[in-house]
Amino acid sequence: MAVRAVRGAVQLERDEAGHMEEQVGALLTAILERNGLHTDDLISLWFTATPDLHSDFPAAAARKLGIVDVPLICAQELDIEGAMPRVVRVLAHIECDKPRADIAHVYLGAAAALRKDIAQ
């Protein structure tokens, strides 16, 4: 079994805890589904949020999805002029048998513009 990394991001429409929970939950669900993963395949999740998001921790959405025994961490994304606002990114470390080239990275909605080269 190999250790792989999966990237993903979503842009929020507004900075509200319920909206963040919904959107981050959708992102994590899409990552799991598109890669044929279960929560037992997760090693750790690293979240970043742009500096304009203050309503909640993205990791709280993971906990509400039932991801309770996986190490999670949140950090603030760099505050770069002209960067897309209200974005939550995730880097998931997973165990799986897929080759690296077959990993589905997930960029939802407007966040797909961040990585057109790997967005599914």
Side-chain angles (χ1 to χ4, degrees), residues 2 13 18 21 27 29-30 33-34 37 40 54 57-58 62 66 91-92 94 96 111 119:
E13 295 175 17
E21 178 184 333
L27 175 62
T29 298
E33 288 176 355
R34 292 182 192 181
L37 300 170
D40 287 345
H54 307 278
F57 295 99
L91 174 64
I94 62 170
C96 74

Side-chain angles (χ1 to χ4, degrees), residues 20-103:
M20 181 180 291
E21 178 184 333
E22 174 186 296
Q23 294 300 303
V24 173
L27 175 62
L28 294 174
T29 298
I31 286 171
L32 293 172
E33 288 176 355
R34 292 182 192 181
N35 287 288
L37 300 170
H38 301 282
T39 57
D40 287 345
D41 300 319
L42 297 172
I43 297 170
S44 64
L45 298 173
W46 182 292
F47 295 94
T48 64
T50 51
D52 52 2
L53 294 175
H54 307 278
S55 62
D56 205 356
F57 295 99
R63 297 290 185 223
K64 289 182 180 173
L65 275 181
I67 302 172
V68 295
D69 62 349
V70 174
L72 310 175
I73 193 165
C74 297
Q76 189 175 76
E77 190 71 35
L78 294 173
D79 191 9
I80 304 298
E81 187 174 328
M84 184 179 287
R86 299 177 318 279
V87 175
V88 174
R89 292 171 173 85
V90 64
L91 174 64
H93 298 100
I94 62 170
E95 290 181 317
C96 74
D97 291 325
K98 286 185 175 192
R100 186 178 302 171
D102 292 344
I103 297 295

